Amino acid sequence: MSYADRDQRHIWHPFTQMSDWLKEHPLVIERAEGNTLIDTEGNCYLDGVSSLWVNVHGHDHPKIRRAVHEQLDRLAHSTLLGLASVPSIDAAEKLLEVAPRGLTRVFFSDNGSTAVEIAAKMAFQYWQQHPDRRLQKKTRFVALKSAYHGDTLGAVSLGGVDLFHQIFGPLCFPVYRAENAGCYRCPYGLRYPDCDIHCLESMEGILEHHAEEIAAVVVEPLMQAAAGMLRLPEGWLRRVRGLCDRHEVLLIADEVATGFGRTGRMFACEHEGVTPDLLAVAKGLTGGFLPLAATLATERLFEGFLGPVEAGRQLFHGHTYTGNALGCAATVANLEIFKAEDVLARVRARAARLAQRLEGLRDLAWVGDIRQRGLMVGVELVRDRETREPFDPAERMGHHVCMAIRNRGVILRPLGDVVVLMPPLSVTEAEIDHLVSALEASIREVAAG
Ligand SMILES: *Cc1c(COP(=O)(O)O)cnc(C)c1O
């Protein structure tokens, strides 16, 4: 029996309508070289979404491979509950070296959802045990419309993508919802790109009226990724930081998608000189090799949890594989590569090339908008560019374009009708050129029916 048949017999795929999956012939990946994925039949594909936004330096960077091998020879895993471990200490130090200034503490977990959820629990508990009793009323969160922060229930509560999140509403805690800024489909009409004024007012209004009960604002800095690569306007994050300071509200930055060079800086917050009180990282943390995540905190936040053990102020949270040794070894190697190869300078050069090549797509009748930050791009397909009339979701245009591009040797995965381009940071100029010309040909092919 083929791998494809065996997959269809037993595997339940995430975010997938399995009745469609069972009718199609799944592509089965067997190995990878550089930025290329290779299937069981030997076909090669550019990994155009970095294996769901995680891969950073390609799939086989020798430094990460060696670091993981060497770590495996010493220790695969040991717990951080009651014990320390060498690789977790090394990884935390390296991470804080590159993190926004002012973050001093690292809490490890396994994935982006838990990294965000831990940040939310930290913010909540921080105020609960604050010596000023008035501040103990701070129990609620503000998040943006169309926010995506992961799939565990706390992260789902913070999320605002109706398609994913609505059904779980009865299980979730209520959240104040601020307008998402810079949205192509702004509910207030075609005011883009100046609708950000309205959006900031929405955040301002919530904080002015409800600050006494708000623990934290949670945002994806610069780019709301799963929402469909929605760009936040310049200066927005800095102004939200200012609002949080004014109203004694914590700022949680979810850099699970934007972290590790994706936007041309190590963290997106740096573009606006912002240090959040809590920073969630995951996807690119290990270079895309192993599942590891971290929640970074300021010393002030950390100190809010200190006290005699019988006071019960410790953070009651921990995952079995927290601080996994192999993941931490990969993290150290990942961060060393950034320095050794001046990766950020290369990302900025590649991003400029990508932007220039994407200009050519703007002439296509179906391309409504192209939104980019660094090597993070959404190409929004619409039925009519002038009126921004969308396709009927049932037509699955984004899906069809991503299937068509496979025949041209590229793997992409859309968000609805937004085609996402998230190549590894190690993408070459030739690969960028191929990616964009293959995308253009695929859009033309699907448009022609
Ligand atoms: C992917 C993502 C998450 C969730 O991460 P998982 O590792 O899938 O749990 C959270 N926040 C953002 C911004 C993401 O892109």
Side-chain angles (χ1 to χ4, degrees), residues 53 111-113 116 148-150 220 225 254 256-257 282-283:
W53 317 355
N111 60 72
S113 310
V116 172
Y148 178 78
H149 297 292
E220 295 167 77
D254 174 355
V256 172
K283 291 192 170 101

Side-chain angles (χ1 to χ4, degrees), residues 171-200:
L171 301 179
C172 292
F173 54 79
V175 166
Y176 285 112
R177 205 52 78 188
E179 296 293 343
N180 54 341
C183 176
Y184 179 61
R185 298 202 176 285
C186 178
Y188 296 87
L190 300 183
R191 294 177 53 201
Y192 179 86
D194 54 22
C195 64
D196 50 300
I197 298 157
H198 169 80
C199 294
L200 195 73

Side-chain angles (χ1 to χ4, degrees), residues 15-340:
F15 281 101
T16 301
Q17 177 41 260
M18 290 302 293
S19 56
D20 283 348
W21 182 269
L22 297 177
K23 281 185 233 142
E24 290 166 3
H25 188 75
L27 191 75
V28 184
I29 299 300
E30 190 169 50
R31 49 199 189 88
E33 282 171 19
N35 305 322
T36 302
L37 296 170
I38 303 164
D39 71 12
T40 44
E41 285 152 33
N43 301 307
C44 294
Y45 307 87
L46 172 64
D47 188 355
V49 287
S50 299
S51 295
L52 242 299
W53 317 355
V54 300
N55 199 273
V56 181
H57 311 293
H59 285 270
D60 56 359
H61 197 291
K63 272 196 187 157
I64 303 184
R65 289 165 49 99
R66 197 179 325 120
V68 174
H69 280 146
E70 287 175 6
Q71 182 56 47
L72 187 55
D73 287 340
R74 287 192 291 272
L75 167 73
H77 180 73
S78 154
T79 186
L80 296 190
L81 282 89
L83 292 172
S85 78
V86 171
S88 64
I89 296 165
D90 288 339
E93 275 179 5
K94 278 264 186 276
L95 192 53
L96 291 172
E97 259 173 45
V98 298
R101 192 191 302 272
L103 295 166
T104 56
R105 297 283 165 178
V106 180
F107 190 100
F108 284 110
S109 59
D110 323 321
N111 60 72
S113 310
T114 54
V116 172
E117 194 142 334
I118 288 162
K121 286 175 79 173
M122 283 175 172
F124 179 88
Q125 192 176 333
Y126 173 81
W127 294 119
Q128 284 299 294
Q129 50 202 31
H130 199 283
D132 183 342
R133 288 193 66 85
R134 280 171 311 156
L135 298 178
Q136 294 174 4
K137 283 195 298 223
K138 289 179 166 292
T139 55
R140 301 203 41 194
F141 293 87
V142 185
L144 292 189
K145 282 197 176 154
S146 316
Y148 178 78
H149 297 292
D151 295 334
T152 57
L153 283 174
V156 167
S157 300
L158 296 168
V161 184
D162 286 347
L163 177 66
F164 309 165
H165 296 141
Q166 211 161 24
I167 187 166
F168 298 114
L171 301 179
C172 292
F173 54 79
V175 166
Y176 285 112
R177 205 52 78 188
E179 296 293 343
N180 54 341
C183 176
Y184 179 61
R185 298 202 176 285
C186 178
Y188 296 87
L190 300 183
R191 294 177 53 201
Y192 179 86
D194 54 22
C195 64
D196 50 300
I197 298 157
H198 169 80
C199 294
L200 195 73
E201 280 167 6
S202 149
M203 178 69 82
E204 221 160 9
I206 292 171
L207 290 180
E208 254 151 39
H209 291 108
H210 307 287
E212 75 288 348
E213 50 168 324
I214 292 173
V217 169
V218 187
V219 295
E220 295 167 77
L222 261 64
M223 196 82 146
Q224 286 191 276
M229 299 296 162
L230 302 182
R231 271 182 68 118
L232 296 155
E234 312 279 336
W236 186 89
L237 181 66
R238 194 179 324 119
R239 292 169 73 180
V240 170
R241 172 76 270 184
L243 288 172
C244 288
D245 289 342
R246 176 142 31 101
H247 293 289
E248 257 191 297
V249 165
L250 299 170
L251 178 63
I252 300 175
D254 174 355
E255 293 232 26
V256 172
T258 51
F260 304 102
R262 191 44 68 188
T263 65
R265 305 289 289 264
M266 189 57 98
F267 295 101
C269 283
E270 290 171 44
H271 288 273
E272 309 218 342
V274 163
T275 295
D277 299 283
L278 290 155
L279 173 69
V281 296
K283 291 192 170 101
L285 177 61
T286 63
F289 276 59
L290 286 151
L292 185 74
T295 306
L296 279 57
T298 60
E299 204 61 15
R300 166 191 164 215
L301 203 114
F302 173 76
E303 284 171 356
F305 289 76
L306 302 179
V309 69
E310 60 277 14
R313 296 167 67 90
Q314 51 273 46
L315 180 68
F316 290 104
H317 191 108
H319 298 285
T320 314
Y321 276 97
T322 291
N324 174 257
L326 297 176
C328 286
T331 295
V332 171
N334 173 32
L335 295 176
E336 281 171 353
I337 294 165
F338 272 93
K339 213 189 271 179

